[in-house]
């Protein structure tokens, strides 16, 4: 796995001795630090390579497991607002079936290690069908990264005292937010506002 390359900062480690005030300060510092390091890892050219993949695709299929599914759902709801139909299935059986879908589908993988066996199997199936793959990972030397058309590498840490895997989730959401913003700039904002008005008028939460 690729981790944040920095000296250990004991001042940011969460411990049982922390007060609520210090926890607020530490979590804030960790998350700001994560975004800064992820920004340093990101290649703007990767977003430019991803744009035509989105443009040519009629449907975005997400492939993820565990907490990464939460990021996939958030991304999918945004992409739908950007006129990109998206699907997220928590069942691995459904994800395998999804990979047998038609042409013009874009496979969007979220995997911290990039070596999950089931996700690797699905990616191989998509490569056989010549379907494009976008990947968010903390390991750009993984099996999934080797098959992806575009890879976004984000920060990650090993220990729970620095929020562990949640650091990766923050970076992954950051990348999907940038992709959402990129897609929205290609839309007619009046159409988007009409969608929001229709939702607010017809649905009560």
């Amino acid at each position: 796995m690729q981790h944040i390359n920095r000296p250990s900062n004991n001042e940011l480690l969460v411990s049982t001795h922390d007060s609520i005030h210090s926890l607020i300060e530490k979590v804030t510092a960790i998350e700001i630090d994560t975004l800064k390091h992820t920004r340093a890892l990101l290649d703007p050219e990767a977003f430019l390579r991803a744009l035509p993949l989105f443009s040519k695709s009629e449907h975005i299929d997400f492939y993820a497991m565990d907490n990464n599914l939460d990021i996939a759902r958030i991304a999918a709801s945004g992409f739908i607002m950007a006129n990109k139909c998206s699907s997220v299935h928590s069942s691995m059986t459904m994800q395998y079936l999804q990979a047998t879908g038609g042409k013009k589908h874009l496979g969007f993988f979220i995997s911290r290690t990039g070596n999950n066996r089931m996700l690797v199997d699905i990616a191989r199936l998509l490569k056989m069908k010549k379907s494009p793959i976008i990947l968010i990972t903390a390991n750009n030397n993984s099996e999934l990264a080797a098959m992806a058309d575009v890879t976004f590498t984000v920060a990650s840490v090993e220990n729970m005292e620095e929020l562990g895997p949640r650091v990766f989730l923050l970076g992954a959401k950051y990348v999907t937010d940038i992709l959402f913003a990129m897609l929205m700039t290609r839309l007619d904002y009046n159409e988007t506002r009409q969608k929001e008005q229709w939702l607010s008028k017809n649905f009560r939460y």
Side-chain angles (χ1 to χ4, degrees):
M1 288 170 33
Q2 177 167 331
H3 302 287
I4 295 176
N5 184 21
R6 66 166 188 269
S8 178
N9 186 352
N10 291 329
E11 293 182 358
L12 293 183
L13 298 181
V14 175
S15 76
T16 56
H17 304 293
D18 281 315
S19 66
I20 294 299
H21 177 77
S22 64
L23 285 174
I24 291 173
E25 294 303 318
K26 285 184 177 181
V27 171
T28 301
I30 289 171
E31 296 204 351
I32 290 173
D33 196 34
T34 297
L35 292 178
K36 287 181 177 179
H37 279 85
T38 296
R39 170 63 188 91
L41 291 170
L42 291 177
D43 178 9
E45 292 293 324
F47 290 94
L48 293 177
R49 294 196 303 272
L51 183 57
L53 300 183
F54 278 100
S55 299
K56 295 175 183 177
S57 300
E58 295 179 351
H59 203 284
I60 302 169
D61 300 327
F62 281 90
Y63 299 97
M65 295 183 69
D66 303 321
N67 290 335
N68 293 336
L69 284 166
D70 296 331
I71 305 303
R73 291 186 184 98
I74 293 171
S77 64
F79 291 168
I80 288 172
M81 290 300 293
N83 287 343
K84 286 296 173 184
C85 292
S86 306
S87 296
V88 181
H89 297 288
S90 56
S91 163
M92 285 308 299
T93 301
M94 290 302 299
Q95 291 193 39
Y96 272 103
L97 288 174
Q98 180 175 255
T100 65
K103 298 177 180 178
K104 296 190 177 180
H105 279 233
L106 170 62
F108 198 120
F109 288 73
I110 304 175
S111 174
R112 184 165 62 94
T113 66
N115 290 316
N116 179 283
R117 298 310 313 163
M118 288 180 283
L119 295 181
V120 168
D121 286 343
I122 291 173
R124 286 175 178 156
L125 175 59
L126 294 180
K127 293 306 288 184
M128 288 173 56
K129 298 175 55 185
K130 298 183 179 180
S131 297
I133 294 174
I134 287 177
L135 169 68
I136 297 177
T137 186
N139 182 6
N140 59 8
N141 294 314
S142 63
E143 291 184 77
L144 283 176
M147 289 184 280
D149 296 273
V150 180
T151 298
F152 296 101
T153 308
V154 303
S156 182
V157 293
E158 290 182 305
N159 58 64
M160 290 305 296
E161 292 83 2
E162 290 183 276
L163 303 188
R166 301 201 66 80
V167 168
F168 171 76
L169 296 177
L170 179 65
K173 182 181 180 298
Y174 172 54
V175 170
T176 62
D177 286 345
I178 296 172
L179 290 170
F180 168 68
M182 180 182 71
L183 294 175
M184 288 298 292
T185 60
R186 269 65 184 175
L187 291 182
D188 179 352
Y189 280 101
N190 288 327
E191 181 182 346
T192 304
R193 290 192 191 97
Q194 288 174 3
K195 285 184 181 179
E196 293 177 342
Q197 291 169 359
W198 185 86
L199 285 171
S200 63
K201 180 181 178 181
N202 292 280
F203 288 91
R204 299 287 186 270
Y205 296 95

